[in-house]
Amino acid sequence: MSIIVQKFGGTSVATANKIRQAAKKAIAAKAAGNQVVVVVSARGKKTDELVALAAEMTDNPSPREMDVLLSTGEQETIALLSMAIHSLGEQAVSLTGPQIGIMTDAASTKARIQKIITTRLHELLDAGNIVIAAGFQGHDSEGNITTLGRGGSDTTATALAAVLNASMCEIYTDVEGVFTTDPRIVPEARKIPQISYDEMLELASLGAGVMHSRSIEFAKKYQVPLRVRPAYSEGEGTLITQEPEDSTQVVTGIAIVKDELRVGLGGIPDRPGVMSMIFAKMAARKIPLDLVVQDIAEGGTAEISFTVPRQDFAEALTAATEAVDELGQGSVTHGTELSKVSIVGNGMQYHTGVAAKMFKTIAQNNTNVLMISTGDIKISVLIRSDQALSTVQKIHESFHLHEQKAISPEIGFPQQDQKTTSQKINTEREHEVVLGLSNMEDIVVSDVIVDSSQARVTIRNLPDEPGIAATIFEAVAEGGIMVDMIVQNVSREGVTNISFTLPEGDLEQSLLLIRTIVEPWEGVTVSYDDHIAKIAVAGIGLRSHTGVGKKMFAALASKEINILMVGTSEMRMTTVIDRSQAETARAVLSETFL
Ligand code: ADP
Ligand code: ASP
Ligand code: MG
């Protein structure tokens, strides 16, 4: 008999009526001949209320007690839903996280699932029950209740769907499905009928709050078909799958994190091991870093910036100060009231001009781009928070995201040939690695990819004002050149630097184009390096796991390999190094990860 997992979010179980509606959906799925597991969240704003209650007791609640407290929200809902199902004449049993058999590590408030013992679940299902499972919680090896991080019920649902080999995992929520961007920000946002795991993973980890990004990791690893659907109607929702039927969009969606904080380390030594040391310090505190940007060093010193979530900011500053003290050189800077806006789309790896168009739109909104970082299927920029919402609206408009299948004329044709086959991710290999994991949420790194076909261009001393990045990348796009990694760090003393990589064969033309553009700008210099290699580890959920960067940089440092550029995505952690060291890098990374 096939198994269906349904998950109802907080709003969808907020009132007695809504709980009854959820009960009816579960009963209908059972009546259709399935075994049914329902995962629920805490009702309405319950979790927020519990967090506020804790804050009334202390500024610094013990993480263990926080988990004991927060897990009660979901416990309330399971009992109520179970009663609702009983009253409709069906059998149901409610289970808390520990009762379901969800084993996690001991990282209170951000625990990761290790394994799920399904014996009891199967017994209850086989006996004809609808099983109601509390989302967001499990227990560690000592029996302590743990929670998975805010929004974690999605992860409970997909993890259960994975271990039960469910035919579908349905995420019922308060919108029609996954939209091109948050419909609360852009009312014209369009529901996406189907989306790939990779795009959804990027969108979720870059801020699209509709799904917990770790739940998409589960779905991709264990190939769980996932559907995000409205709880209040019979809408079809959005299917999240390996290969969506309609994948012609260049940009699929836009994500925003409104409240980003930046930590910078400036004037630090440019030598192997520095990145490794900084990442190790952050990983030790389980601080996920995003928008990691390193300037191409000048005069023997480097500048590194990254953004961190608000709750980790104080710790990240302490760790950065420690790093600078140990290095005996440099200073720590920070920035607040920043937002990160990202565009995500599978098609952007094959089309030219996507970055140029994004930057141009931002410039037209009179908004300055403070930092840029790219991955294979995403481009992220850091901008001022007060300009973020209007920027998202403008980008949505300029990419015509409210219409289906619109490729705008400024965007160039597919450039499939420019992507070397060695860069394609080996999904079979990925699957083998997943099957061999000892813990379900362990890092999956399935490949080490070396690309020695690219060159790097750096433009220094650019005026720090709206429109600069747009002008440069428009010129390059007009030459039909496919830009790959782009990196821009925050400005110092009113000037900024931009670096990017491109196919080596296009270097000469690109230098000509850029030199023409920058000529009138005083003090701007252009340099290049045609002896670089891009080396990446590929896998699933790499940015969300704090340990990947740490391991990668430590391995490269052990071979005295200096890191010139860094790019992160959920699928890849990429560094640019000197080409002469590419094979050494490949060997040490393969040894470390594979
Ligand atoms: P639940 O309580 O059901 O888990 P959430 O509040 O976590 O619901 O997620 C649903 C909300 O996510 C929507 O109300 C919407 O405002 C927001 N959201 C953000 N980005 C998107 C997006 N790209 N598509 C749909 N909803 C989004
Ligand atoms: N109740 C938890 C939260 O609000 C988990 C969830 O709803 O997914 O974060
Ligand atoms: Mg949610």
Side-chain angles (χ1 to χ4, degrees):
M1 196 184 276
S2 65
I3 300 181
I4 288 193
V5 176
Q6 300 183 324
K7 179 250 164 181
F8 292 88
T11 342
S12 311
V13 286
T15 61
N17 243 343
K18 288 186 174 178
I19 292 179
R20 263 190 289 274
Q21 277 178 12
K24 284 180 188 156
K25 283 202 192 297
I27 292 170
K30 186 170 179 229
N34 303 289
Q35 290 190 329
V36 181
V37 175
V38 185
V39 175
V40 287
S41 292
R43 296 185 318 117
K45 298 251 170 271
K46 188 75 194 184
T47 312
D48 292 336
E49 286 163 24
L50 293 170
V51 170
L53 263 182
E56 282 182 31
M57 295 301 139
T58 160
D59 287 342
N60 192 14
S62 129
R64 183 191 179 279
E65 302 311 327
M66 218 41 205
D67 280 352
V68 175
L69 179 68
L70 295 194
S71 60
T72 61
E74 271 68 12
Q75 189 165 340
E76 178 183 87
T77 323
I78 52 172
L80 292 171
L81 179 58
S82 194
M83 291 173 196
I85 293 177
H86 294 164
S87 73
L88 291 167
E90 217 6 288
Q91 263 174 265
V93 177
S94 68
L95 298 177
T96 64
Q99 289 170 340
I100 309 161
I102 298 187
M103 302 278 312
T104 73
D105 62 19
S108 307
T109 75
K110 38 182 154 180
R112 285 187 179 266
I113 297 177
Q114 293 180 328
K115 64 179 172 204
I116 303 179
I117 299 155
T118 54
T119 333
R120 183 154 181 209
L121 269 178
H122 279 298
E123 279 168 11
L124 290 169
L125 288 170
D126 290 344
N129 294 288
I130 295 175
V131 175
I132 317 292
F136 171 61
Q137 54 182 267
H139 66 126
D140 69 11
S141 59
E142 311 222 308
N144 298 300
I145 286 203
T146 52
T147 64
L148 308 179
R150 297 301 305 270
S153 296
D154 296 331
T155 295
T156 307
T158 40
L160 283 174
V163 289
L164 294 171
N165 207 2
S167 59
M168 185 55 80
C169 180
E170 298 177 330
I171 306 291
Y172 286 97
T173 184
D174 59 358
V175 276
E176 283 292 317
V178 177
F179 281 67
T180 45
T181 194
D182 191 339
R184 286 188 222 180
I185 298 176
V186 181
E188 296 76 33
R190 177 178 52 84
K191 192 199 80 175
I192 305 168
Q194 296 196 4
I195 187 170
S196 69
Y197 291 132
D198 287 342
E199 288 168 313
M200 193 64 229
L201 188 52
E202 285 293 354
L203 280 172
S205 92
L206 292 169
V210 62
M211 291 292 292
H212 200 223
S213 80
R214 280 162 54 193
S215 72
I216 314 296
E217 253 184 82
F218 266 107
K220 180 172 159 74
K221 274 177 168 172
Y222 300 96
Q223 300 287 306
V224 178
L226 206 58
R227 196 177 272 285
V228 179
R229 308 183 70 162
Y232 51 83
S233 76
E234 295 302 312
E236 281 289 286
T238 299
L239 181 69
I240 306 172
T241 174
Q242 183 71 26
E243 290 192 0
E245 271 167 22
D246 170 24
S247 54
T248 55
Q249 269 333 83
V250 177
V251 174
T252 304
I254 310 172
I256 173 176
V257 179
K258 288 182 202 131
D259 189 23
E260 279 279 275
L261 293 134
R262 183 187 65 82
V263 177
L265 292 91
I268 53 176
D270 174 38
R271 58 169 154 78
V274 171
M275 204 58 144
S276 164
M277 189 259 253
I278 296 169
F279 265 72
K281 288 201 178 300
M282 301 298 160
R285 293 168 164 86
K286 291 210 171 206
I287 303 175
L289 307 187
D290 191 25
L291 274 191
V292 183
V293 161
Q294 181 188 5
D295 268 357
I296 295 297
E298 200 178 14
T301 63
E303 305 274 327
I304 294 171
S305 284
F306 46 82
T307 57
V308 294
R310 177 165 289 276
Q311 76 264 23
D312 296 324
F313 184 53
E315 281 239 51
L317 281 181
T318 311
T321 309
E322 245 177 64
V324 164
D325 286 349
E326 264 172 53
L327 291 167
Q329 178 181 339
S331 58
V332 176
T333 59
H334 67 269
T336 55
E337 281 162 51
L338 302 166
S339 294
K340 175 176 61 188
V341 173
S342 311
I343 59 172
V344 172
N346 227 348
M348 71 172 71
Q349 4 175 22
Y350 311 118
H351 291 77
T352 56
V354 182
K357 193 176 165 80
M358 179 185 190
F359 300 153
K360 186 177 173 187
T361 312
I362 297 173
Q364 284 166 344
N365 196 37
N366 221 353
T367 298
N368 200 14
V369 175
L370 306 174
M371 267 167 83
I372 305 172
S373 166
T374 63
D376 296 278
I377 64 164
K378 71 110 186 179
I379 303 170
S380 300
V381 297
L382 197 69
I383 58 177
R384 269 183 23 210
S385 288
D386 57 351
Q387 297 170 314
L389 296 189
S390 63
T391 298
V392 171
Q393 286 155 357
K394 291 278 162 36
I395 296 175
H396 198 272
E397 212 173 287
S398 73
F399 281 100
H400 300 282
L401 293 189
H402 55 286
E403 297 162 18
Q404 199 156 1
K405 281 195 195 165
I407 294 178
S408 83
E410 296 108 277
I411 291 176
F413 288 105
Q415 306 261 334
Q416 301 270 8
D417 52 316
Q418 295 209 6
K419 202 93 194 167
T420 54
T421 45
S422 68
Q423 282 178 278
K424 293 227 170 72
I425 288 170
N426 184 340
T427 41
E428 265 170 50
R429 165 92 189 107
E430 211 167 73
H431 193 59
E432 264 171 43
V433 176
V434 171
L435 291 180
L437 291 181
S438 47
N439 293 318
M440 288 186 85
E441 278 199 77
D442 280 354
I443 302 171
V444 172
V445 174
S446 51
D447 217 351
V448 172
I449 301 166
V450 178
D451 178 0
S452 293
S453 69
Q454 299 238 323
R456 188 244 325 147
V457 174
T458 298
I459 314 165
R460 283 185 208 285
N461 301 325
L462 285 161
D464 182 28
E465 54 192 55
I468 297 299
T471 310
I472 290 170
F473 290 104
E474 268 187 299
V476 176
E478 272 162 30
I481 297 166
M482 185 81 195
V483 173
D484 193 356
M485 262 170 98
I486 305 175
V487 153
Q488 181 197 334
N489 205 341
V490 284
S491 65
R492 263 179 314 146
E493 289 149 24
V495 294
T496 181
N497 307 330
I498 293 182
S499 294
F500 63 91
T501 67
L502 77 178
E504 202 180 322
D506 292 332
L507 178 63
E508 223 167 290
Q509 193 204 350
S510 139
L511 288 172
L512 274 175
L513 291 167
I514 289 168
R515 286 192 171 123
T516 317
I517 292 281
V518 304
E519 198 164 4
W521 297 338
E522 213 174 311
V524 174
T525 60
V526 182
S527 61
Y528 67 90
D529 184 348
D530 56 4
H531 206 72
I532 59 158
K534 270 175 55 190
I535 180 143
V537 295
I540 305 172
L542 298 191
R543 193 177 37 229
S544 335
H545 284 266
T546 48
V548 184
K550 171 185 145 183
K551 255 173 126 173
M552 178 164 190
F553 296 127
L556 294 174
S558 75
K559 298 289 172 197
E560 296 287 310
I561 297 173
N562 204 15
I563 289 144
L564 307 174
M565 278 166 86
V566 180
T568 58
S569 77
E570 288 293 342
M571 275 150 277
R572 273 181 215 184
M573 181 109 198
T574 309
T575 59
V576 172
I577 60 171
D578 192 82
R579 200 174 289 172
S580 64
Q581 294 172 308
E583 283 317 309
T584 316
R586 186 206 297 272
V588 70
L589 291 178
S590 303
E591 201 184 301
T592 307
F593 285 103
L594 306 181

